[in-house]
Amino acid sequence: MSGSEKDLELTAAVAELAVAGRVAFGGVGIVGSLLPETEAYQRVAAAAADHPEEVRDQLDHLLATAEPAGRVYAATLLEQLDPAAGRAAWTALRADPAELHTATGCVMDSTTVGEYAAERLAGA
């Protein structure tokens, strides 16, 4: 895959995360299907290994502009790239009252971004 193809793939994955409707880090439902946003998260995570600076810029943008699930994905990825920056992102997100939908296996749930962030910080 050429550099420009990788750039396009990263751009598409970031765009998918920006409008993500649910946070799921693995398969969901009885058949364990991967949601498009989960696949996008995985593509961005893979790109971060090769181009951390470029991905970091994209994550900062997502934190500022994405839908609630996209902000959570961005903070999660940022935490993997730079734990201190990730902690700062989670700290900032604690004040976010937006509704957040999550999925773990067959369990669908909702919370707020702030509550999710507080749980991440408590578990860190």
Side-chain angles (χ1 to χ4, degrees):
M1 186 179 296
S2 73
S4 63
E5 288 172 343
K6 286 184 180 182
D7 291 343
L8 289 174
E9 184 176 315
L10 176 59
T11 299
V14 168
E16 181 72 40
L17 290 181
V19 297
R22 182 171 308 276
V23 172
F25 293 103
V28 299
I30 294 171
V31 295
S33 299
L34 286 182
L35 299 175
E37 47 263 64
T38 305
E39 292 175 343
Y41 165 82
Q42 292 172 346
R43 288 194 309 273
V44 174
D50 296 330
H51 309 332
E53 295 82 19
E54 180 182 345
V55 171
R56 172 68 187 266
D57 291 342
Q58 299 281 353
L59 297 178
D60 290 340
H61 181 71
L62 284 173
L63 281 169
T65 63
E67 294 293 321
R71 294 193 298 274
V72 167
Y73 281 122
T76 302
L77 288 161
L78 186 57
E79 186 176 37
Q80 294 167 11
L81 277 177
D82 180 346
R87 184 164 181 76
W90 288 122
T91 299
L93 289 175
R94 275 193 314 204
D96 190 332
E99 186 174 6
L100 176 68
H101 301 286
T102 62
T104 305
C106 292
V107 178
M108 307 297 170
D109 200 4
S110 54
T111 185
T112 67
V113 173
E115 290 168 349
Y116 190 95
E119 287 178 21
R120 289 297 293 251
L121 287 166

